[in-house]
Amino acid sequence: MAADKSIVRWTIGIVGLIISIVGLVSIYYGLEARDSEDLKVLGYEDEVSLALVWGGAALVFTSGLGWTAAFSKSHCLAFCFGYLCMCIMLLYASMGTTVLVLKNNMYDYIDDSCTNEAGTFYEIDQIYKNGDTILCSTSCPCAADETDWPEEN
């Protein structure tokens, strides 16, 4: 019977280590989310960043609880560890679903912006088209000479 409890303690310790690594990775990506261009387009970079950082901190806390449960042989702590793992799994599943929905919304927003005659994407497209019609035309002839350009290696 003692061997069975030892295996459970080792399993909880290993799961705690894995959860700790996932938590640290989550914190890293949470800090990187603030610089994500995709999230800046939608305006959700702060929300996603905070969710990942707090989720990662909760994972690191949970892994500490798991290690404490494994080495203190406390059944109450082991139960709390299992319960927290289940809650965090649900949290991360909902965050993953939210990211997928936001990604699809971003692509829909870009598609709608490219077909509508309003918005930032339409303005950028018009600037490009106007520049393309003016540059290298009769009103602005191109007088580029190939000898002025440096040779490519």
Side-chain angles (χ1 to χ4, degrees), residues 3 9 29 32 35-36 40 58 61 66-68 71 76 87 89 99 119 122 124 126 133 137-138 141:
R9 284 195 299 272
Y29 281 118
E32 291 292 319
D35 299 329
S36 171
K40 284 183 181 179
F61 171 77
W67 291 332
T68 304
F71 294 113
C76 181
C87 291
M89 181 209 55
V99 166
Y122 178 76
I124 292 171
Q126 291 305 308
T133 57
S137 64
T138 55

Side-chain angles (χ1 to χ4, degrees), residues 8 12 65-66 68-70 72-83:
V8 171
I12 290 174
L65 182 67
T68 304
S72 70
K73 303 176 185 177
S74 171
H75 297 291
C76 181
L77 285 178
F79 174 78
C80 291
F81 173 70
Y83 184 75

Side-chain angles (χ1 to χ4, degrees), residues 14-131:
I14 291 170
V15 169
L17 177 67
I18 293 169
I19 289 174
S20 179
I21 291 169
V22 171
L24 293 173
V25 169
S26 177
I27 290 171
Y28 171 77
Y29 281 118
L31 296 174
E32 291 292 319
R34 290 188 175 213
D35 299 329
S36 171
E37 293 297 325
D38 295 338
L39 294 173
K40 284 183 181 179
V41 167
L42 295 171
Y44 289 116
E45 69 270 10
D46 290 335
E47 290 85 355
V48 171
S49 177
L50 285 174
L52 285 172
V53 168
W54 281 106
L59 284 173
V60 171
F61 171 77
T62 302
S63 69
L65 182 67
W67 291 332
T68 304
F71 294 113
S72 70
K73 303 176 185 177
S74 171
H75 297 291
C76 181
L77 285 178
F79 174 78
C80 291
F81 173 70
Y83 184 75
L84 280 175
C85 285
M86 180 188 67
C87 291
I88 289 174
M89 181 209 55
L90 292 173
L91 172 73
Y92 269 78
S94 65
M95 284 177 17
T97 304
T98 303
V99 166
L100 290 176
V101 169
L102 288 175
K103 183 178 178 182
N104 290 335
N105 286 348
M106 181 186 68
Y107 289 135
D108 292 342
Y109 174 74
I110 290 172
D111 289 340
D112 290 343
S113 295
C114 288
T115 57
N116 290 338
E117 293 188 5
T120 306
F121 292 107
Y122 178 76
E123 291 173 11
I124 292 171
D125 194 40
Q126 291 305 308
I127 290 170
Y128 175 76
K129 286 180 181 177
N130 290 338

